Amino acid sequence: MLYRMLRNLMFRLDAEKAHHLGLTGLSIMEMTGLSSLLYKKVAATPVRVMGLTFPNAVGLAAGLDKNGDYIEAMSALGFGFVEIGTVTPRPQPGNPKPRLFRIPEAQAIINRMGFNNLGVDHLIEQVKVAETHSLIGINIGKNFDTPVENAADDYLIGLNKVYPYADYVTINISSPNTPGLRSLQFGESLDTLLAALKKQQTQLAEQYNRYVPMAVKVAPDLTAEEVLQLADAFARHQVDAVIATNTTMSRQGVEGLPNANEAGGLSGAPVLVKSTEIVRQFRLALPEHLPIIAAGGIMSAEDAIEKIDAGASLVQIYSGLIYRGPALIREIIKAIEKRN
């Protein structure tokens, strides 16, 4: 009830202003100890994925904390893992504002942020000082002005820099808001990128005497044939996990609603069915040992269980946190524990 009242007030503000205000508020609560008073400590329900032990199976999806400025505040909400980013080698402002839009009637969000971030060096400094029991995933991408044919250069810079500080690294090749980025999901471009990253991962593991898993985040707007092609590439290149999925370009489920025609990726409840079907298809196509982290449209514990039943080992939320609040984290953890 308290969160619903707060959300209704925040929804009267511009979406991006409310985003920053909300994060600042959570950070203040964490620093002053209010988080521990308002949110009961989540009991550990560890799960082993990618060779890592996650405190629980519920994570924060990338995009909410792009710069790693709120790691401790997010961890205090009960997340077993927090994925920060997408971060690029150089700082960039992202797309012009306004670029974030709510569709409350459908529990949905459209964004065309465009990888706005302060650059990988800033993010690393935040990770260095963060004190958290949550695992930290770092999501990396390319700068908007780096030609697609040179994208591997940016991803290698990102991997080299974040490797010592990440529990796992996510390769984002599925955002719809960086021109040409999704083309990296296919054919020779994908093989070239994955080969370069896996080679570098091997060298970094030797350098630091520590293996940091590497996941790849895919789009929901894939055909069955494209899923098979991606699954084959991920298996051949020994990718450590697949994150399914990013936002969708479809407007199914929001037709005719205010803001529905805004450009950008759609997230929230309308993407649930499509995203879960992609999880199911990947589970059938991937080797049994290769795990899936499911994101997309999780607005309830039942939605999360659907993802796990479809083949996911972990789940991530973002829009669900905006619409449902921190209580959703505990609901999902309890539902997974009950299911197991």
Side-chain angles (χ1 to χ4, degrees):
M1 182 64 71
L2 177 61
Y3 181 78
R4 187 180 300 175
M5 293 173 59
L6 180 61
R7 184 196 67 189
N8 291 341
L9 290 172
M10 296 287 278
F11 274 24
R12 296 181 181 182
L13 303 175
D14 168 79
E16 191 164 351
K17 288 181 180 177
H19 171 93
H20 292 299
L21 182 61
L23 288 174
T24 300
L26 287 173
S27 183
I28 292 171
M29 287 170 56
E30 190 277 327
M31 288 188 292
T32 57
L34 284 174
S35 292
S36 60
L37 295 176
L38 290 173
Y39 309 118
K40 294 180 181 179
K41 188 175 181 180
V42 175
T45 52
V47 56
R48 188 81 174 165
V49 180
M50 296 188 290
L52 302 171
T53 300
F54 290 77
N56 63 65
V58 184
L60 176 70
L64 190 71
D65 184 5
K66 293 178 181 294
N67 297 303
D69 293 332
Y70 305 99
I71 296 170
E72 293 168 345
M74 293 296 105
S75 179
L77 297 181
F79 284 113
F81 61 110
V82 174
E83 188 168 318
I84 56 178
T86 298
V87 68
T88 53
R90 291 172 282 111
Q92 61 181 33
N95 292 321
K97 299 178 182 180
R99 54 193 180 182
L100 185 64
F101 308 90
R102 309 183 197 94
I103 309 179
E105 301 88 343
Q107 294 188 93
I109 296 171
I110 290 175
N111 94 82
R112 52 172 182 264
M113 304 299 281
F115 289 173
N116 57 306
N117 72 101
L118 298 176
V120 68
D121 292 330
H122 172 89
L123 179 142
I124 288 170
E125 292 305 312
Q126 302 307 105
V127 176
K128 284 180 180 179
V129 299
E131 296 181 2
T132 175
H133 296 294
S134 304
L135 297 192
I136 298 175
I138 302 181
N139 185 303
I140 61 174
K142 80 171 192 71
N143 280 106
F144 78 98
D145 56 355
T146 298
V148 174
E149 57 269 24
N150 297 333
D153 296 339
D154 276 13
Y155 286 100
L156 288 170
I157 291 170
L159 181 62
N160 284 329
K161 291 201 170 191
V162 307
Y163 191 95
Y165 309 103
D167 290 302
Y168 71 90
V169 179
T170 298
I171 311 304
N172 188 351
I173 53 174
S174 53
S175 170
N177 300 315
T178 296
L181 190 75
R182 285 191 170 186
S183 66
L184 295 172
Q185 294 180 113
F186 308 111
E188 186 178 346
S189 296
L190 178 64
D191 278 322
T192 300
L193 177 62
L194 292 182
L197 288 169
K198 287 300 294 187
K199 180 180 179 182
Q200 192 62 24
Q201 181 193 35
T202 299
Q203 294 176 358
L204 290 166
E206 293 176 358
Q207 179 180 343
Y208 292 101
N209 195 29
R210 171 175 173 259
Y211 184 84
V212 176
M214 187 171 68
V216 179
K217 190 167 188 175
V218 300
D221 308 309
L222 299 170
T223 66
E225 180 60 32
E226 288 168 343
V227 169
L228 291 175
Q229 291 172 2
L230 281 165
D232 174 69
F234 296 155
R236 283 188 290 105
H237 291 283
Q238 299 182 318
V239 167
D240 297 294
V242 176
I243 300 182
T245 66
N246 214 315
T247 57
T248 180
M249 295 304 294
S250 169
R251 291 298 182 264
Q252 186 174 354
V254 298
E255 302 96 329
L257 295 176
N259 292 326
N261 292 327
E262 292 289 347
L266 175 70
S267 63
V271 79
L272 174 67
V273 173
K274 175 182 283 193
S275 178
T276 304
E277 178 57 27
I278 293 295
V279 171
R280 186 173 290 109
Q281 290 180 27
F282 267 109
R283 186 65 283 155
L284 292 172
L286 289 168
E288 186 177 347
H289 70 273
L290 207 163
I292 299 170
I293 303 171
I298 298 174
M299 315 300 286
S300 68
E302 292 75 18
D303 295 340
I305 295 301
E306 279 187 36
K307 301 284 192 186
I308 292 172
D309 288 343
S313 299
L314 303 169
V315 297
Q316 292 179 318
I317 62 173
Y318 179 158
S319 298
L321 181 65
I322 303 302
Y323 280 97
R324 291 288 319 284
L328 178 59
I329 303 166
R330 285 157 180 77
E331 288 179 19
I332 297 173
I333 292 171
K334 288 180 180 178
I336 292 174
E337 186 178 15
K338 184 178 179 180
R339 177 186 179 274
N340 294 338

